[in-house]
Amino acid sequence: APASPPARHLFSDPAQVEALRGNLLAWYDRCKRDLPWRALAVTEPDADRRGYAVWVSEIMLQQTQVATVIDYYNRWMQKWPTLQALAQASLEEVNELWAGLGYYSRGKRLQEAARKVVSELAGRMPRTAEDLQKLLPGVGRYTAGAIASISYGQATGVVDGNVIRVLCRLRCIGADSSSPAVIDQLWDMANVLVDRSRPGDFNQALMELGATVCVPKAPLCRECPVKQHCQAWCRKLFGKPSPVPDVEDCCVGDCPLCPPATEPWDSSLGVTNFPRKAAKKPPRVMRTATCVLERRGCHGASEYLIVQRPSSGLLAGLWEFPSLPLAQDLQEEKEREELAHHLQAWMGQPVAAKGLQFIGEVVHIFSHIHQTYVVYSLHLDGDVTLDPALSPSRWVTEDEFHASAVSTAMKKV
Ligand code: SF4
């Protein structure tokens, strides 16, 4: 492999870098979305609170759409406006507020890290990307760069999914965008490009461009503020990147950033030739039997049994209807028997498999699991004494169920 990538993949012309920064920032000033954490990052005079606000928003935005995050962010900041307030919250409260946002370990780690800042760092947020990453659990390179640049003005780049897409297109990077060679190169580029006087705005502008203009499927290249710097756009228009060295030379060698020679430019895809990803592993397929146990509560309203999941693993610490993972290709009769047996352990009394009423199936896609819940219900006449030796469990009304720390999948059930 060549010692350094060909010039087409780099930002080595200072004048061009300056022009790109100027165009991007001017566009951002005109077009940026009005988001609650942005206002706070600018107006909040207390540096620790600024850092906290950006941190919360960045953790919530991981793998989650902006539109979904806004409401969660506002409720979170209302309930825990400071690190100190969050450090005093219980995990149950955090899970209740996080319910429905997915990837639940994020909330838990955010709270653990807040406790660490309060107890070990005297409530003072680390001020550089290096320290943020080193000292705060759950804060990776991207989040550290975002907090440091947006809250503290450190001139450090960020690379997230949006930035990967934009940079790969700007520089025709067609090798697997999750490969270490490409990722390293993208971080180097982000650090070269970031505007020294407005690093936070520049980073947000690059991400905003990826989120609203340079989108995955149908990018709006004609409206793009940096199209004159974009090799992929140039290649789409003129058949070659610009400047026009022989692009095919690059593919023939062992360039670590070019598309593999076996997958050359596909003109029908245009700029969406970039970025390229290695084929995803198919999701794991799982079936889980779940039972909605219902009883008449003391005020006559229906109550439902929910039990708490283990404190680690998928959906850690969340509440659910009693559930049992099933082997694949199990006959329905056998499914019922296994579920009845499982329920018996909860209730301390025999449960007749034929008393379980099949309700239907609910499919929920987790990031890496295709989960099917096979839903049954059972109405109980008498009272049931729950075994306190088992995981925590409780009876809840429908309203209480919705206010509890339950996953979106359970709400579907
Ligand atoms: Fe993305 Fe198109 Fe802009 Fe290039 S010109 S950065 S491909 S939107």
Side-chain angles (χ1 to χ4, degrees):
S4 67
R8 87 181 74 265
H9 294 311
L10 302 176
F11 292 97
S12 41
D13 175 357
Q16 194 191 37
V17 168
E18 208 43 56
L20 187 151
R21 286 176 184 153
N23 290 355
L24 188 61
L25 283 167
W27 168 81
Y28 182 68
D29 290 339
R30 271 195 328 274
C31 304
K32 65 172 178 267
R33 291 170 293 178
D34 189 12
L35 302 173
W37 46 89
R38 286 192 175 152
L40 208 68
V42 174
T43 57
E44 173 57 56
D46 183 306
D48 291 310
R49 291 178 85 153
R50 275 203 313 274
Y52 170 63
V54 173
W55 183 15
V56 171
S57 67
E58 289 297 342
I59 297 289
M60 287 188 170
L61 286 164
Q62 289 168 7
Q63 322 278 341
T64 313
Q65 301 282 328
V66 166
T68 309
V69 166
I70 291 175
D71 177 49
Y72 281 90
Y73 173 84
N74 285 335
R75 283 191 289 126
W76 182 287
M77 295 305 284
Q78 219 168 9
K79 192 161 176 141
W80 303 301
T82 61
L83 280 160
Q84 288 71 14
L86 176 59
Q88 285 171 8
S90 71
L91 180 58
E92 187 67 16
E93 288 176 293
V94 168
N95 278 340
E96 281 173 11
L97 199 143
W98 205 274
L101 199 55
Y103 298 94
Y104 292 88
S105 60
R106 294 181 296 171
K108 185 179 172 194
R109 272 189 291 164
L110 190 51
Q111 191 216 27
E112 284 167 0
R115 285 185 173 165
K116 180 171 179 188
V117 175
V118 171
S119 64
E120 295 177 26
L121 306 174
R124 191 174 188 272
M125 289 277 289
R127 295 291 197 263
T128 65
E130 296 73 24
D131 283 350
L132 285 158
Q133 190 177 351
K134 193 166 74 189
L135 297 174
L136 300 188
V139 171
R141 191 174 180 185
Y142 162 76
T143 309
I147 299 171
S149 61
I150 298 169
S151 309
Y152 306 127
Q154 186 186 1
T156 186
V158 295
V159 174
D160 73 343
N162 284 319
V163 174
I164 289 174
R165 184 165 58 258
V166 174
L167 292 182
C168 283
R169 289 175 179 170
L170 282 174
R171 280 298 171 266
C172 276
I173 294 175
D176 171 8
S177 64
S178 60
S179 70
V182 171
I183 292 293
D184 283 352
Q185 190 64 41
L186 295 174
W187 275 100
D188 287 350
M189 284 180 181
N191 283 324
V192 165
L193 282 180
V194 65
D195 188 273
R196 270 48 193 167
S197 57
R198 296 178 60 191
D201 284 347
F202 180 87
N203 286 337
Q204 291 182 90
L206 203 55
M207 293 189 274
E208 185 99 340
L209 188 76
T212 61
V213 176
C214 194
V215 292
K217 291 219 172 89
L220 309 169
C221 295
R222 287 179 197 285
E223 297 167 26
C224 176
V226 295
K227 59 177 180 286
Q228 66 270 45
H229 308 288
C230 179
Q231 300 268 12
W233 174 238
C234 193
R235 174 141 203 193
K236 177 179 157 63
L237 289 185
F238 306 116
K240 274 183 184 284
S242 167
V244 192
D246 193 352
V247 67
E248 305 308 338
D249 284 351
C250 206
C251 304
V252 170
D254 289 324
C255 174
L257 303 180
C258 270
T262 48
E263 294 171 49
W265 168 271
D266 176 348
S267 55
S268 70
L269 294 177
V271 300
T272 63
N273 273 285
F274 310 103
R276 292 201 189 170
K277 291 185 191 147
K280 259 196 185 171
K281 270 204 251 162
R284 200 148 47 92
V285 175
M286 285 187 69
R287 276 173 79 77
T288 295
T290 191
C291 184
V292 181
L293 275 169
E294 184 178 351
R295 74 171 187 186
R296 187 81 32 217
C298 48
H299 301 297
S302 291
E303 291 182 339
Y304 306 92
L305 181 68
I306 55 174
V307 301
Q308 194 169 27
R309 289 182 61 84
S311 59
S312 60
L314 184 72
L315 306 174
L318 264 63
W319 295 79
E320 65 183 8
F321 299 115
S323 299
L324 178 71
L326 297 169
Q328 292 295 329
D329 304 324
L330 214 57
Q331 300 284 325
E332 192 193 323
E333 197 182 334
K334 192 79 185 126
E335 271 181 14
R336 276 172 192 271
E337 276 172 23
E338 291 199 0
L339 182 59
H341 189 69
H342 181 68
L343 294 173
Q344 184 171 331
W346 282 105
M347 296 161 56
Q349 64 185 50
V351 174
K354 63 179 184 315
L356 294 169
Q357 189 190 350
F358 174 71
I359 302 293
E361 294 193 349
V362 168
V363 173
H364 188 78
I365 312 288
F366 295 96
S367 56
H368 55 296
I369 298 173
H370 186 286
Q371 175 72 270
T372 301
Y373 291 98
V374 187
V375 185
Y376 291 87
S377 80
L378 182 64
H379 291 257
L380 300 173
D381 293 329
D383 200 7
V384 175
T385 310
L386 300 170
D387 183 350
L390 293 168
S391 303
S393 57
R394 61 180 204 251
W395 291 96
V396 290
T397 62
E398 193 171 336
D399 285 348
E400 288 165 345
F401 172 83
H402 284 287
S404 299
V406 292
S407 66
T408 304
M410 277 299 124
K411 287 187 179 169
K412 283 192 198 172
V413 167

